[in-house]
Structure formats: structure tokens, C-alpha cells
Amino acid sequence: MSQTPRRSTEAAEKSRRGARSHRITFESRSRAWRRHHEQMAVDSLHRLRQRPLSSLMTMLAIAIAMVLPASLWLALSSAQLLDNNLDDSARMTLYLDPALSESQAMDITDRVRGDSDIASTELITAAAGLESFQQRLGMSDALAMMDDNPLPATILVQPRSRDPDAAQTLTERLGKIEGVTDARLDMAWLERLRELSELGRRVVLAFGVLFALGVLLVVGNTIRLAVESRRQEIEVVTLIGATHAFVRRPFLYVGVWYGLGGGILALLLLTVGRRWLSAPIDMLASGFGSHFSLPGIGLGGSVLLLICSTLLGLVGAWLAVSRHLADISPR
Amino acid sequence: MAMIEFAHVGKRYGGRFEALADLNFSVERGEMVFLTGHSGAGKSSVLRLLMALERPSRGRISVAGHDITNLHVSQIPFYRRQIGVVYQNHQLLYDRSVFDNVALPLIIQGAAPQDARRRVHAALDKIGLLHREKALPIELSGGEQQRIGIARAVVTKPAMLLADEPTGNLDPQLSADIMRLFEDFNRIGTTVLLASHDLALIARLRHRVLKLRDGRLIGDEGAA
């Protein structure tokens, strides 16, 4: 009994010493945090490499989900439907009397250019019009058979205002100029184009959202299986004081790798697809005497696609792990 | 100051089954206490509440002066780091070496690698398994696995050690060895609470015994 006090002071002394050596500083903790990030990044990559086929299939599923909206967007932007300078095409064409001489046509052009409502004009003489027509359509033989040039001289007019109503009144006024047989502003065509462009934009957006959701589901489901297979490990580390962030970390990295890998595969698919389609498109275009080629996704687009796919992988993983963590919280 | 304090603690599962009813007891700092009773008496519930795996339906629990009854979810990990727990089924990670298993709490807490190595070695040395640090848990016997579990529980030098049937699957000789380890840790100031139904072993060890039946305390023997 007499040893009890000594034992307790000895115990207190030991526990004090223990507490001191046990202290973990903030720097050591932040270093440990970085170290754990690095370890988990490498470890999760290693886990993916251990099951290459299933990892590749998940990434391929992500890639396909990314390729569809991306290629749709590319196709639309190649048609310049998404281009904002669509408004520039709000110009009018003045058809001149074919009987006018070239100098008279120039006089009219100068007069039109003097109008304060007009930004610029461009005279296309009958001869120039014929030449470009021949070049563009490759129908030189057919046109050469005609005795006269059937094309009138035209003036392309770019109005200052972009307001459709103002353009309409301006067109009417220009039509009354002597020597101008007809003035045209193809509003209906413009409107239709704009509607089509809006439709295209919405279709791309809808597909983008749907396929993004698809990516989330693919990643979420894959991560859920990974969580399931490491359930015991999660339980153990949680029991000994791991935070949710600690538990989540390896899975978030798996999600990031899936997303990034899927993004890279998507870029690969886009490049291969473009190569594959470019030969027939070149042939088709040259048949019409035009130089049209499919646009590539470009550096900016590639980076954007990779960021999107990586973020989707991250979010999908986050959702999957959080659901599991909520399940094991104390009640 | 009391290390563990239960005040009118009740725990119901699913609204009907009453695992604990108005439980009151306290354990002083540096004490070693056995918690005993038949299976279903509430031993595991007491430990689960102390590990913040569950919340009491009624009453208040405090540990080292802190009320843990309504611990926020984000605080629970930090609370658990203050206690060491030894499980009957060891709860080891079987795809990692003995060293990695014991180092796990230190890694979670963010200890520096060289510091962690030193402490893991000290803990393994204490339980006499330093030479098996590279082995996988599956290569070890049940008693050795249990000692690894103990090493992992004490590697962070917690002020309180909880154990749920730590000798449940072991023969008497091994059980006595394991108990001696707990006594050693108690001797250096660690509060130890052990749930066990091995009455013969408990009787030999002469520590305070809390006896539970149907979720109530029916005996508190050998109290200081």
C-alpha cells in the first residue's frame, strides 16, 4: 500500500513525458498532409494499374461520354453557327442595272458610301462576279458557252446599325436609288440561321449535361465498388481517428485518374476521328472547288476538356465516398 | 479528475430494446477497471459509446472532463485519437505489414516518418514482436495478432486504453500474458477499461470490477 503514492507520481511523470514527446507540430502535420496526398496519388494510380482492363474500360466509358458532346460542338462551330460574328452577315446586296457602265457603277457606289448609315461598301463588277462564280463552282465550261455575262454588277453594303428594323428601312431607301434595280436584305434567312444556331447551342448544352451526368454515374459506381472492396480498411482507419478527408483522399485520386485518363482517351478519339473523316471531306470539298477542313479541338479546347473530365471524376468519387461515410457515422 | 464519467446513461436500439438503463459510474485517471457481465449485459454498448461509435439515448458521458455526448461528427476523429482501443477480432489490415499496421495511427495523425518509425519500434519492442515487423498479420498466431493490436492502440501513447474481450480467443497462458501487458501500460499511468467475461482471469488480477446485467450496474467491487 505504501507504494501507491510513489507509483502515481511516477505515472504522472511518465505520462507528462509521454505527452511532450507525443506532440505533433503544425509544420509536421502540414508536411504529413502533403506527404499523404503524394502517397495517395501514387498509390491510387498503382491500384488502377493492377487492374488495367477494368480501369481502361471505365476510362473508355468516360471518354465516349466526353467525345459525343465535344464532337457535336466542334461540328456546329465548324459550320460557324456558334460564331458570334454572325451579325456581320446582316448586310444587303444592291443589284445594279446591267446596262450601266463600270464607271457609272462606281459613281453609285461612292454615293452609297457617303450615306451616314452605312459602314462599308464593296463593288463587285459583272466581270469580277463572273470570275468568282466560275472559281467557286467550277462551272467555267457552262458559263463559257454563254455569249453575254448574265450577272449584273452588285454592291455589298454593310450597315452601321445591327437593328433589323433600321436595316429594313435602309434597304428600302437604297432600292430607290437610280440605277439600282433591286435591293435585298435576306432577313428571313438570317432569322432562320439564328434560330438554328440557338437550337444547336441548346442541343450541345443538353447533350453536355446528360453526358456529364453519365460520367458522374460511371465514376460514382466504379468508386462505390472500390469503397465496397476496402470497407474493412475504411472501418479500421475511422476507428483509430482518421478524418473523413483522410478516408476520402485515396478514392478522390482514383476519381481524378479516371477522369484525366478518360479525358486523354477522348482527345485521342477526337484526333483519330478527325483524321479518319478528313480524307473524304477534303475530297468532297475539292470537288466543289472549296477548301474546307474539319476544325481540331485546339489547345484551349483540349485543356478545357481535360479539366472538365477530371473535375467530373473528382465529383463522382466525392459523391460515392460521402454516401458511404454518412452510413458509418454514429447514431 | 475522473477519466470516464457515465451519468444516467441509457441506450435504446430501434426504440424498444434497452441495452443500457440509467448507468452511473466513474473511472479515475490511472485506474485499471474490468467491465464484466454476460453477453448482452451491455459491455459492448459501454465501449461503443466511449469510442463515439454510438450516441447515448439519455444521460451524459464525459471523458477527461470533456462531454462527448454530443460530439460533432467532425470532432469525433480527433477524440478517437486520444484513446487506444483493442478489439477481440484485432481489426488489423491484412494486406499490410505488422509495421504498417502499428504505424497507422501515427500516419493518420501526421507524425514525421522517422519519428513514427522510432515509436513503432518502441511499441513493437514492448510487446516483444520487433523481429516480426515485416511480417503480414496472417503469418502470425492469434496471440501475436492481438499483441499487434495492442501495439497499435498504444503507439500514440493515449491516456486511455479500451479493450473489448481482448483475450476472447486465447488460451489461459496467452491471456495472462496479454493481461500483463495491459497492467504494464496501466503502471505508467494509462487508464485501462477492459470488457471481459473471463471471470477466472479477472479474479486473479485483483482490479476493480464493474458488473453489468441487463444494462444496469449490479456490482462495483474492489473500488479504490
Side-chain angles (χ1 to χ4, degrees), chain A residues 22 28 35 233 238 241 331, chain B residues 55 80-81 96 110-111 156:
Chain A
H22 182 106
S28 129
R35 198 165 46 236
E233 183 184 341
T238 312
R331 261 154 266 197
Chain B
R55 296 183 194 283
R80 287 190 188 145
R81 292 176 192 185
R96 306 206 191 170
T156 57

Side-chain angles (χ1 to χ4, degrees), chain B:
Chain B
M1 189 185 21
M3 191 68 192
I4 303 171
E5 199 158 10
F6 272 56
H8 306 290
V9 172
K11 178 68 184 171
R12 275 171 187 276
Y13 293 102
R16 273 199 66 81
F17 177 66
E18 196 161 47
L20 297 176
D22 197 39
L23 192 60
N24 294 286
F25 70 87
S26 70
V27 174
E28 293 304 308
R29 211 176 267 270
E31 252 191 305
M32 178 153 174
V33 178
F34 283 105
L35 194 60
T36 181
H38 297 292
S39 61
K43 303 188 298 287
S44 294
S45 291
V46 169
L47 290 180
R48 292 176 67 80
L49 289 172
L50 277 172
M51 287 152 64
L53 284 171
E54 286 167 5
R55 296 183 194 283
S57 315
R58 259 175 296 117
R60 213 176 126 258
I61 302 169
S62 52
V63 173
H66 297 287
D67 189 347
I68 64 153
T69 318
N70 288 310
L71 218 51
H72 190 265
V73 174
S74 64
Q75 291 175 307
I76 289 174
F78 301 97
Y79 165 70
R80 287 190 188 145
R81 292 176 192 185
Q82 310 297 316
I83 57 181
V85 186
V86 177
Y87 305 86
Q88 180 176 11
N89 57 0
H90 325 311
Q91 295 281 24
L92 300 176
L93 298 181
Y94 288 92
D95 58 344
R96 306 206 191 170
S97 69
V98 163
F99 180 94
D100 287 344
N101 267 286
V102 177
L104 205 54
L106 296 169
I107 287 170
I108 287 170
Q109 296 186 20
Q114 58 274 25
D115 188 31
R117 193 171 312 119
R118 191 174 52 76
R119 276 149 67 174
V120 170
H121 283 164
L124 285 175
D125 194 30
K126 172 72 195 144
I127 59 157
L129 284 174
L130 187 53
H131 60 293
R132 302 306 309 267
E133 62 167 319
K134 291 194 177 70
L136 289 174
I138 206 74
E139 300 164 14
L140 305 179
S141 71
E144 285 173 324
Q145 288 187 28
Q146 190 55 286
R147 274 146 71 194
I148 300 302
I150 294 172
R152 190 186 63 190
V154 299
V155 75
T156 57
K157 300 188 178 167
M160 179 167 89
L161 203 53
L162 304 176
D164 190 7
E165 304 281 0
T167 61
N169 301 323
L170 304 178
D171 64 51
Q173 180 55 45
L174 283 173
S175 298
D177 289 349
I178 296 283
M179 283 305 167
R180 249 195 303 283
L181 270 177
F182 281 111
E183 287 185 311
D184 286 348
F185 290 115
N186 177 242
R187 208 161 291 135
I188 58 166
T190 311
T191 310
V192 180
L193 180 65
L194 274 158
S196 174
H197 60 250
D198 191 345
L199 295 173
L201 186 69
I202 292 169
R204 268 206 306 282
L205 290 169
R206 297 162 188 264
H207 291 284
R208 182 180 165 199
V209 179
L210 296 171
K211 204 177 231 170
L212 292 177
R213 183 187 292 161
D214 298 330
R216 286 167 212 277
L217 194 64
I218 56 159
D220 186 350
E221 295 154 25

Side-chain angles (χ1 to χ4, degrees), chain A:
Chain A
M1 283 303 120
S2 62
Q3 71 180 119
T4 313
R6 202 177 67 229
R7 206 178 82 182
S8 66
T9 50
E10 181 190 298
E13 158 78 327
K14 285 246 173 126
S15 72
R16 222 180 15 255
R17 206 157 57 210
R20 196 163 55 230
S21 73
H22 182 106
R23 199 164 51 212
I24 292 168
T25 62
F26 176 75
E27 291 100 282
S28 129
R29 200 166 291 174
S30 76
R31 261 203 308 278
W33 182 80
R34 271 204 307 278
R35 198 165 46 236
H36 191 240
H37 267 282
E38 283 163 21
Q39 278 170 357
M40 288 306 106
V42 174
D43 180 69
S44 57
L45 199 60
H46 187 67
R47 275 174 198 271
L48 293 190
R49 280 220 319 257
Q50 279 176 333
R51 309 177 63 191
L53 199 66
S54 68
S55 301
L56 195 71
M57 287 201 323
T58 303
M59 287 179 190
L60 204 58
I62 295 168
I64 290 166
M66 299 296 292
V67 157
L68 287 168
S71 53
L72 197 61
W73 182 76
L74 280 179
L76 276 173
S77 67
S78 79
Q80 288 199 326
L81 283 175
L82 293 175
D83 224 340
N84 280 331
N85 55 28
L86 191 66
D87 288 336
D88 289 349
S89 55
R91 56 185 185 184
M92 40 218 94
T93 312
L94 307 183
Y95 296 92
L96 302 185
D97 186 345
L100 291 178
S101 72
E102 208 161 295
S103 65
Q104 279 170 315
M106 278 183 198
D107 285 345
I108 295 174
T109 312
D110 287 342
R111 195 160 3 122
V112 171
R113 192 182 293 135
D115 195 310
S116 61
D117 285 342
I118 285 162
S120 68
T121 58
E122 189 191 343
L123 173 68
I124 296 167
T125 61
L130 185 63
E131 203 178 317
S132 93
F133 197 60
Q134 282 174 343
Q135 261 181 10
R136 259 198 233 170
L137 297 183
M139 297 199 290
S140 48
D141 301 340
L143 287 166
M145 288 197 299
M146 296 186 192
D147 295 335
D148 294 325
N149 181 356
L151 299 173
T154 53
I155 305 174
L156 299 178
V157 177
Q158 187 78 55
R160 255 183 231 289
S161 157
R162 292 192 166 176
D163 177 43
D165 291 336
Q168 193 61 50
T169 22
L170 181 65
T171 312
E172 277 164 25
R173 201 170 80 226
L174 294 175
K176 287 176 189 138
I177 295 172
E178 202 179 331
V180 176
T181 51
D182 198 5
R184 275 215 192 131
L185 171 70
D186 203 342
M187 288 302 289
W189 174 80
L190 204 67
E191 282 300 310
R192 218 167 291 148
L193 199 64
R194 201 166 287 164
E195 279 159 17
L196 213 61
S197 146
E198 179 59 28
L199 179 70
R201 228 180 296 224
R202 287 189 185 195
V203 167
V204 168
L205 190 69
F207 272 88
V209 168
L210 278 179
F211 282 99
L213 218 64
V215 172
L216 281 185
L217 288 177
V218 168
V219 174
N221 210 36
T222 312
I223 299 287
R224 196 177 56 79
L225 292 177
V227 167
E228 212 60 54
S229 75
R230 291 170 75 181
R231 182 179 278 274
Q232 196 241 349
E233 183 184 341
I234 292 174
E235 234 169 70
V236 170
V237 297
T238 312
L239 282 176
I240 55 184
T243 56
H244 282 186
F246 185 95
V247 173
R248 224 179 254 135
R249 206 162 291 148
F251 298 106
L252 295 189
Y253 273 106
V254 173
V256 163
W257 295 131
Y258 276 142
L260 191 64
I264 290 170
L265 276 180
L267 285 179
L268 218 67
L269 286 178
L270 283 173
T271 312
V272 169
R274 181 165 172 247
R275 281 265 175 83
W276 190 61
L277 289 179
S278 72
I281 283 178
D282 279 350
M283 296 253 272
L284 206 64
S286 71
F288 284 103
S290 145
H291 297 286
F292 174 80
S293 64
L294 282 176
I297 187 161
L299 185 67
S302 308
V303 171
L304 187 72
L305 188 136
L306 289 180
I307 289 175
C308 283
S309 66
T310 307
L311 273 180
L312 285 171
L314 184 70
V315 173
W318 184 286
L319 293 175
V321 186
S322 294
R323 242 190 60 194
H324 178 74
L325 285 174
D327 282 350
I328 58 173
S329 286
R331 261 154 266 197

